[in-house]
Amino acid sequence: MEKDKARCHYLANKLENVMVLNGDGSNVGLLTEEDMDEMDAFVTATGYDEENLLLALMAKTHGIEDVISKVSHDSYTDLISKLGIDVVLNPLDISCSTILRLIRGAKKVISSVLLQGQAELMEVYAQEGMGMINIPLKNMKLPDYIIIAAIHRGMDTIIPDGNTKIKPGDRVTIVCMISNIGYVEKLFKPNIRLNILK
């Protein structure tokens, strides 16, 4: 739902298989008309944190299972946990994370999204010389706070098990605690000496 009619036309032309409605997303009557009770997920992304939180609360009271809300202020952290919102995206945290990663020179990271401010979902491009290449996952003895969720190899998506090996060129989706990102970056840091020898 988008209030700006011109923006609606733009989104309708750019997004495939998406219905774009011209209207106020905070209008409860309009949401009810659009069968809010039948929705599987609800995302609130207005320009106001308070409005996003109220809409998220309303979605939860309507029994919507997955509710995602854009909230920029850390001061709402306690309130968010009490409201039971499933995922909160903080644009400031996402921007800072991306900038810091660029400063550190970690060009291997294709994208990153903060989840609830506690964990990070990242996609890493696997290269020759990385410590995780061609080793069964069960032999890596990864700590509990790191989950290798998926491996994208060409057109295939692999849900890994203990015998799966990461190969050069794979895109690896990883979930880890924010406080332990440094450990993940070490795992995916290329061995410079190995690269020189090759």
Side-chain angles (χ1 to χ4, degrees):
M1 290 187 182
E2 170 60 51
K3 285 193 285 189
D4 189 299
K5 198 168 186 177
R7 180 73 176 165
C8 276
H9 285 298
Y10 173 82
L11 293 172
N13 290 327
K14 292 291 182 181
L15 301 175
E16 295 181 7
N17 302 317
V18 175
M19 180 189 295
V20 180
L21 301 176
N22 181 218
D24 185 352
S26 62
N27 184 327
V28 180
L30 179 58
L31 291 172
T32 303
E33 280 180 34
E34 294 301 323
D35 295 325
M36 185 177 189
D37 293 329
E38 301 299 318
M39 294 178 185
D40 296 319
F42 192 83
V43 181
T44 64
T46 74
Y48 303 98
D49 287 352
E50 295 80 5
E51 197 168 74
N52 289 336
L53 289 171
L54 283 171
L55 286 168
L57 177 60
M58 181 180 65
K60 275 298 181 186
T61 59
H62 279 259
I64 297 176
E65 187 173 347
D66 297 313
V67 177
I68 301 170
S69 192
K70 180 181 80 70
V71 179
S72 300
H73 293 92
D74 292 333
S75 56
Y76 290 122
T77 303
D78 292 338
L79 179 60
I80 290 165
S81 61
K82 290 175 183 175
L83 292 178
I85 299 169
D86 300 291
V87 176
V88 174
L89 300 178
N90 186 328
L92 300 176
D93 285 345
I94 293 170
S95 299
C96 288
S97 176
T98 303
I99 292 167
L100 284 172
R101 207 164 293 289
L102 289 172
I103 291 170
R104 291 173 186 160
K107 296 177 182 176
K108 300 176 291 300
V109 176
I110 295 170
S111 62
S112 61
V113 180
L114 293 178
L115 303 175
Q116 293 284 46
Q118 297 176 6
E120 184 163 356
L121 175 68
M122 64 178 77
E123 189 173 82
V124 179
Y125 181 76
Q127 303 175 41
E128 286 283 1
M130 289 180 173
M132 298 182 81
I133 296 293
N134 293 321
I135 299 173
L137 296 184
K138 64 184 177 184
N139 294 345
M140 292 181 191
K141 297 180 181 177
L142 294 172
D144 293 338
Y145 53 76
I146 295 175
I147 298 171
I148 296 181
I151 297 173
H152 307 281
R153 185 172 295 155
M155 298 299 291
D156 297 326
T157 298
I158 301 165
I159 304 302
D161 59 28
N163 296 312
T164 305
K165 296 179 182 179
I166 297 170
K167 297 181 179 179
D170 287 350
R171 289 178 295 118
V172 185
T173 303
I174 300 171
V175 182
C176 76
M177 299 300 291
I178 291 291
S179 56
N180 301 110
I181 287 176
Y183 182 84
V184 177
E185 290 178 345
K186 285 179 184 177
L187 287 175
F188 278 88
K189 186 175 181 180
N191 186 323
I192 302 300
R193 184 178 298 173
L194 182 60
N195 287 339
I196 290 171
L197 290 172
K198 287 188 176 183

